[in-house]
């Protein structure tokens, strides 16, 4: 199985901050990496697919980059509705696997 | 807008079978893969498996011996059965639509999710 490791596991930030979350795969997954946002009590929501493609309807302050084993999700200017947990997920091979999550909290 | 609605018992006894159904509205179940994903309380996400509308399946090896996913295109529904459950199977179970990458039809991500169904395994 491909292991997905996210860092940090949690962070505190203020509205307007630039936030960077990283995800590392245990082997190359090319660009088969997706990002999801989960607000407490809600289902995950797709933000980014194929490492850098923004899902329709997702604000442009979210961006993704990377290929191979190292990937990054950036929120350019954190908004109140962005406080949530973020998960990466690899699509390179089954079993499909997720990172452990990064919780973004209010400073 | 595609919507997914999961349903089923919220409490299952140990050693019994967990059964959930996901009803798809706002679009046809045909021409897509459909998946189940679960999340134990306070923990991360685990992919259970997916099914194509034609019936072909792919399961997580960690659960394969206990999992069956089926589809009923006439009802626009797909279902999950997980046998011989234990407390470790207590989780929120999500159904989701599986979308293929536009440049690689054999690789997938989850673009629409149901609201989740909490299933507790307890006597």
């Amino acid at each position: 199985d491909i292991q997905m490791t996210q860092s940090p596991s949690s962070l505190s930030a203020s509205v307007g901050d630039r936030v960077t979350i990283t995800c590392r795969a245990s082997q190359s997954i090319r660009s088969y990496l997706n990002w999801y946002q989960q607000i407490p009590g809600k289902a995950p929501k797709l933000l980014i697919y194929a490492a850098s493609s923004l899902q329709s309807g997702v604000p442009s302050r979210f961006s993704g980059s990377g290929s191979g084993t190292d990937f990054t999700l950036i929120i350019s200017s954190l908004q109140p509705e962005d406080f949530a947990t973020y998960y990466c997920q690899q699509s390179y091979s089954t079993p499909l696997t997720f990172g452990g999550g990064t919780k973004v909290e209010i400073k | 807008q595609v919507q997914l609605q999961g349903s089923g018992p919220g409490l299952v006894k140990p050693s019994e079978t967990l059964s959930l159904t996901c009803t798809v509205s706002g679009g046809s179940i045909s021409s897509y893969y459909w998946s189940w994903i679960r999340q134990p309380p306070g923990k991360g996400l685990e992919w259970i498996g997916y099914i194509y509308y034609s019936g072909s399946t792919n399961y997580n090896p960690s659960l394969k011996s206990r999992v069956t996913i089926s589809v009923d295109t006439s009802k626009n529904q797909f279902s999950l059965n997980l046998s011989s459950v234990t407390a470790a199977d207590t989780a929120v179970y999500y159904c989701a639509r599986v979308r293929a990458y536009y440049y690689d039809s054999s690789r997938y991500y989850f673009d629409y999710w149901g609201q989740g169904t909490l299933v507790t395994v307890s006597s």
Side-chain angles (χ1 to χ4, degrees):
Chain A
D1 298 6
I2 297 175
Q3 307 303 316
M4 306 301 295
T5 303
Q6 288 183 234
S7 60
S9 57
S10 66
L11 64 89
S12 296
S14 301
V15 173
D17 284 353
R18 178 183 176 91
V19 170
T20 300
I21 298 169
T22 63
C23 178
R24 175 165 289 176
S26 60
Q27 66 182 75
S28 176
I29 58 171
R30 294 163 59 182
S31 294
Y32 295 106
L33 190 283
N34 315 299
W35 290 98
Y36 301 86
Q37 175 195 62
Q38 187 176 35
I39 293 169
K42 301 292 187 182
K45 172 188 172 184
L46 176 67
L47 298 176
I48 302 277
Y49 62 95
S52 61
S53 295
L54 195 66
Q55 171 70 351
S56 175
V58 173
S60 59
R61 63 180 180 273
F62 291 94
S63 64
S65 64
S67 66
T69 61
D70 294 315
F71 301 86
T72 301
L73 174 70
I74 292 175
I75 310 172
S76 61
S77 178
L78 197 66
Q79 297 302 301
E81 60 268 30
D82 301 336
F83 292 95
T85 299
Y86 295 84
Y87 293 95
C88 60
Q89 175 248 324
Q90 64 83 17
S91 299
Y92 183 74
S93 66
T94 57
L96 306 177
T97 49
F98 293 83
T102 295
K103 186 174 184 178
V104 177
E105 299 176 301
I106 302 172
K107 182 182 285 184
Chain B
Q1 175 85 348
V2 173
Q3 293 187 341
L4 293 85
Q5 178 75 42
S7 60
L11 181 65
V12 181
K13 290 183 169 55
S15 80
E16 295 189 344
T17 296
L18 177 161
S19 296
L20 297 174
T21 296
C22 186
T23 301
V24 179
S25 59
S28 174
I29 204 167
S30 298
S31 302
Y32 286 99
Y33 285 85
W34 303 88
S35 189
W36 289 96
I37 298 147
R38 70 180 183 177
Q39 184 173 38
K43 297 189 177 180
L45 298 159
E46 179 181 32
W47 172 69
I48 298 170
Y50 59 65
I51 188 166
Y52 195 44
Y53 77 100
S54 62
S56 62
T57 55
N58 191 330
Y59 299 138
N60 191 323
S62 68
L63 297 167
K64 188 173 183 177
S65 63
R66 300 192 291 129
V67 170
T68 303
I69 299 176
S70 58
V71 64
D72 186 338
T73 55
S74 67
K75 295 181 179 179
N76 241 32
Q77 294 177 334
F78 63 105
S79 298
L80 168 69
N81 278 356
L82 180 66
S83 64
S84 304
V85 297
T86 70
D89 296 309
T90 293
V92 175
Y93 286 77
Y94 293 102
C95 53
R97 191 177 79 169
V98 181
R99 192 71 184 266
Y101 284 85
Y102 63 89
Y103 56 87
D104 186 343
S105 61
S106 67
R107 284 164 172 136
Y108 314 107
Y109 55 95
F110 310 107
D111 64 346
Y112 287 100
W113 296 63
Q115 85 286 3
T117 301
L118 174 62
V119 179
T120 302
V121 179
S122 175
S123 56

